[in-house]
């Protein structure tokens, strides 16, 4: 068993976690989250309708020592930590550096190994986390699995042959789906972040599904695994311009359904083509209950497993960074460390092992 201190500052959440990890890649690694601390900056960024990178950086620098302090007053003794993990990208560069500098200082000062983690890998592994139980029974992942990663910055489909062997098979050609939720929310005068707001007001729609506004489902019939969401957002904009008196809840519900239809259709087209045995959902948009439900139903129909993180691990957190670090640590132990392609991890000077299986 090893103890990991993980740090995540890629966007607008300052997050530090302490977790224990055990097991190897032959079985399934197991995690016990001891603390999962998140200091959200949403209120700071809300007046700007999105995240302002330099405000994010300032807040991370302010909040990281506060969170670490609160860990130290609870469970954490730094001399018991075996590994420090930090997100090295993708994300907002000034925000990332706040976390990296902090992690690097800690690692040097206490002589603890440091490992760089790809934020998206963190999201994918978040389904492995479970609060406070190292022996929890995971739903089995049968391979090949198709992973759908949906966040504010990415919409990606991945084919996984094992926990560490995977390949990107498609991604959005323009906006990420979370970004589309955020933009449509702004069009509807709803506060940032828009995803939870759209989901909340969509529930007030009295329309039957068959009477929803017929928004486009971009690329749904194309036989590839790519997505496009900017046309859907524009369609909502024009619809509101032409129908200013429309009930916002009906627009939200119809937009949400269109987005979910495309995500589900493409995911299950991949399931069919690759004869997948499991579907994994991850990223901030995975918090959307309607999306989870739709994928779960479809997985049941296909008699395959559907796995997604517990609710608190959907949006950005540091526990997922710790989980990913452990898996990378296990695979690094098995092979000679190789030079990593850091292009998408924003780090030029930094020589951490950001072992990105995603090759993003
Ligand atoms: O993964 P995440 O926390 O940060 C990024 O790495 O981007 O994802 C944030 C995104 C935002 O676009 C937010 O609006 C969206 O996830 N989101 C949701 C919901 N909760 C968060 N989208 C739809 N429904 C939700 N319930
Ligand atoms: Zn994220």
């Amino acid at each position: 068993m090893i103890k990991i201190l993980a740090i995540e500052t890629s966007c607008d959440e300052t997050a530090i976690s302490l977790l224990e990890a055990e097991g190897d890649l032959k079985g399934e690694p197991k995690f016990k989250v001891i603390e999962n601390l998140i200091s959200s900056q949403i209120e700071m960024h809300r007046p700007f309708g999105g995240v302002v990178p330099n405000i994010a950086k300032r807040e991370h620098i302010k909040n990281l020592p506060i969170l670490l302090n609160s860990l130290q007053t609870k469970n954490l003794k730094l001399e018991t930590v075996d590994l420090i993990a930090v997100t090295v990208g993708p994300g907002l560069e000034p925000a990332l550096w706040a976390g990296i500098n902090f992690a690097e200082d800690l690692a040097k000062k206490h002589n603890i190994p440091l490992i760089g983690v790809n934020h998206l890998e963190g999201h994918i592994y978040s389904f492995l986390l479970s609060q406070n139980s190292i022996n929890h029974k995971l739903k089995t992942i049968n391979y090949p699995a198709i992973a759908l990663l949906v966040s504010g910055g990415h919409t990606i489909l991945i084919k996984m042959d094992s926990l560490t062997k995977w390949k990107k098979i498609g991604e959005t050609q323009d906006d990420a789906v979370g970004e589309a939720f955020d933009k449509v929310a702004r069009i509807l005068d709803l506060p940032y972040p828009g995803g939870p707001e759209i989901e909340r007001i969509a529930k007030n729609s009295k329309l039957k599904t068959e009477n929803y506004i017929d928004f486009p489902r971009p690329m749904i019939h194309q036989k590839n695994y790519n997505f496009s969401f900017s046309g859907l957002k524009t369609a909502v904009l024009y619809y509101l311009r032409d129908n200013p008196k429309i009930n916002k809840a009906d627009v939200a519900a119809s937009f949400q359904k269109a987005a979910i239809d495309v995500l589900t259709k493409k995911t299950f087209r991949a399931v069919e083509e690759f004869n997948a045995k499991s579907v994994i959902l991850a990223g901030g948009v995975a918090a959307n209950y309607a999306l989870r439900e739709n994928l779960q139903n479809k997985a049941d129909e296909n008699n395959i497993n559907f796995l997604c993180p517990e609710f608190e691990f959907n949006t950005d957190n540091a526990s997922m960074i710790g989980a990913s670090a452990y898996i990378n640590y296990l695979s690094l132990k098995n092979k000679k460390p190789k030079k990593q392609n850091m292009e998408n991890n924003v780090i030029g000077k930094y020589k951490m092992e950001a072992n990105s299986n995603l090759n993003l």
Side-chain angles (χ1 to χ4, degrees):
M1 189 270 283
I2 70 164
K3 200 171 254 188
I4 303 172
L5 177 73
I7 295 165
E8 150 67 39
T9 63
S10 68
C11 193
D12 59 346
E13 319 278 12
T14 315
I16 297 193
S17 284
L18 183 64
L19 60 164
E20 290 172 358
E22 65 178 41
D24 57 29
L25 289 174
K26 284 185 210 102
E28 235 139 49
K30 292 197 166 56
F31 299 98
K32 176 176 176 180
V33 177
I34 297 167
E35 293 288 343
N36 183 54
L37 303 181
I38 301 177
S39 167
S40 175
Q41 306 171 4
I42 283 176
E43 294 306 327
M44 294 273 170
H45 299 286
R46 191 163 271 158
F48 303 95
V51 181
V52 184
N54 280 327
I55 296 182
K57 173 186 163 189
R58 186 191 72 198
E59 292 300 305
H60 289 317
I61 290 173
K62 190 182 90 195
N63 291 328
L64 282 166
I66 298 175
L67 292 186
L68 185 69
N69 241 329
S70 95
L71 266 191
Q72 281 171 311
T73 55
K74 292 182 188 170
N75 286 306
L76 177 69
K77 289 192 181 57
L78 274 167
E79 58 274 17
T80 66
V81 170
D82 300 295
L83 186 67
I84 297 180
V86 64
T87 307
V88 294
L92 303 170
E93 196 158 336
L96 286 164
W97 277 112
I100 294 164
N101 289 333
F102 186 79
E104 199 175 31
D105 283 352
L106 260 189
K108 275 194 193 132
K109 203 160 139 202
H110 299 275
N111 198 22
I112 303 169
L114 179 63
I115 191 162
V117 173
N118 180 296
H119 181 81
L120 303 177
E121 280 192 21
H123 274 302
I124 294 195
Y125 290 133
S126 57
F127 76 94
L128 292 167
L129 294 166
S130 147
Q131 192 83 32
N132 294 327
S133 65
I134 207 143
N135 294 317
H136 73 286
K137 264 259 168 282
L138 275 177
K139 253 202 253 172
T140 328
I141 331 166
N142 297 318
Y143 297 102
I146 298 296
L148 173 65
L149 175 58
V150 278
S151 73
H154 297 85
T155 305
I156 302 176
L157 267 176
I158 295 153
K159 176 182 172 253
M160 292 174 80
D161 291 315
S162 73
L163 260 193
T164 52
K165 194 163 162 245
W166 52 13
K167 188 170 168 244
K168 179 166 72 179
I169 55 171
E171 66 187 326
T172 183
Q173 305 297 290
D174 42 54
D175 292 352
V177 64
E179 191 180 352
F181 269 87
D182 293 336
K183 286 179 175 168
V184 167
R186 206 181 312 177
I187 296 169
L188 294 173
D189 280 330
L190 298 168
Y192 171 85
E197 293 294 320
I198 296 271
E199 180 169 28
R200 185 178 61 77
I201 73 159
K203 289 192 189 120
N204 300 332
S205 173
K206 300 270 184 298
L207 289 182
K208 288 202 174 114
T209 317
E210 59 268 28
N211 297 330
Y212 277 173
I213 304 157
D214 189 18
F215 288 131
R217 278 130 174 92
M219 301 181 78
I220 197 165
H221 297 300
Q222 289 186 20
K223 292 207 181 323
N224 55 39
Y225 302 109
N226 293 331
F227 302 92
S228 161
F229 290 101
S230 92
L232 172 57
K233 166 211 67 195
T234 311
V236 174
L237 183 69
Y238 288 160
Y239 189 88
L240 270 159
R241 184 195 61 190
D242 298 339
N243 303 275
K245 295 217 171 80
I246 187 79
N247 181 354
K248 280 184 191 178
D250 294 343
V251 176
S254 307
F255 157 76
Q256 180 171 272
K257 179 79 172 61
I260 291 176
D261 277 355
V262 180
L263 294 171
T264 307
K265 182 89 188 174
K266 294 262 170 169
T267 304
F268 279 86
R269 176 170 297 146
V271 165
E272 204 170 300
E273 179 175 334
F274 297 107
N275 199 13
K277 307 283 192 295
S278 322
V279 164
I280 297 168
L281 176 66
V285 183
N288 188 289
Y289 185 77
L291 173 62
R292 292 162 89 105
E293 190 178 48
N294 213 43
L295 290 170
Q296 175 74 66
N297 289 342
K298 201 83 180 105
D300 291 346
E301 266 172 41
N302 283 266
N303 230 346
I304 62 174
N305 274 344
F306 173 65
L307 301 107
C308 66
E310 283 180 35
F311 198 75
E312 68 190 300
F313 300 121
N314 282 306
T315 43
D316 290 347
N317 64 84
S319 299
M320 68 184 197
I321 301 306
S324 185
Y326 183 63
I327 291 166
N328 287 337
Y329 156 83
L330 291 177
S331 38
L332 286 170
K333 270 205 320 190
N334 294 338
K335 61 183 176 208
K336 268 202 188 147
K338 57 176 189 214
K339 272 233 156 61
Q340 301 296 325
N341 172 7
M342 303 298 270
E343 227 171 279
N344 288 294
N345 290 340
V346 300
I347 316 299
K349 73 159 205 197
Y350 211 70
K351 293 285 182 280
M352 289 184 303
E353 296 283 357
N355 180 26
S356 173
N357 291 309
L358 275 176
N359 197 19
L360 290 163

